[in-house]
Amino acid sequence: MRAGLRILLAVFYAYAGYRHIVGPEPFLLITPAWVSMPEQVVLWTGIAEIAGAIALAQPCSLRLRQAGGIGLALYALCVWPANVNHMLMDFARGDGSLSGGWGAAYHVPRMIAQPLLIWLALWTGRVTDWPLTVRR
């Protein structure tokens, strides 16, 4: 199960990275105002997602998979402010138009999923076994 989820997560991040690079506009819309050089940040976040996905997906080196898992977990933590900003912008609009009108039904699960994505990157990258296996 872990290997399958690892590949699925790698595909998810590779596609997300591709979207950041070829179509940065939606990501620029949700980038907090305090982020300097947002175009470059969005480009490099896309590159980071692709690099992490490649490291996580490869079958040969546990250390490289672990580095990919740690990198993607840190990435998910670092982009969380953009997700929070997106939620606050959307809720402030009232009509939910920024996120396609999904409102709380979109943003609440997204906020809950962020820590899960962080854990999943670490677990599938074999950085941690917690909470499924207790190390002795």
Side-chain angles (χ1 to χ4, degrees):
M1 180 170 86
R2 190 184 297 208
L5 287 173
R6 179 173 57 85
I7 297 304
L8 185 63
L9 189 63
V11 168
F12 166 79
Y13 272 112
Y15 180 72
Y18 166 78
R19 296 299 316 151
H20 275 79
I21 294 167
V22 301
E25 296 80 14
F27 305 103
L28 291 170
L29 283 175
I30 67 170
T31 301
W34 51 263
V35 173
S36 62
M37 301 187 305
E39 293 85 4
Q40 290 83 0
V41 169
V42 170
L43 171 68
W44 283 102
T45 57
I47 292 169
E49 285 176 303
I50 292 169
I54 290 169
L56 192 62
Q58 63 75 42
C60 298
S61 168
L62 175 60
R63 287 185 188 247
L64 191 53
R65 282 196 309 270
Q66 288 174 328
I70 290 168
L72 290 173
L74 289 172
Y75 167 83
L77 182 62
C78 289
V79 299
W80 207 339
N83 296 340
V84 171
N85 188 55
H86 185 194
M87 180 178 66
L88 295 176
M89 289 170 59
D90 200 13
F91 288 170
R93 292 177 65 97
D95 64 355
S97 62
L98 185 62
S99 69
W102 297 332
Y106 170 74
H107 291 292
V108 171
R110 184 179 185 185
M111 291 298 108
I112 293 169
Q114 202 75 14
L116 180 60
L117 282 173
I118 291 168
W119 172 80
L120 195 59
L122 296 172
W123 185 73
T124 61
R126 291 203 176 268
V127 177
T128 186
D129 289 327
W130 179 89
L132 303 177
T133 303
V134 177
R135 290 188 178 169
R136 295 177 188 217

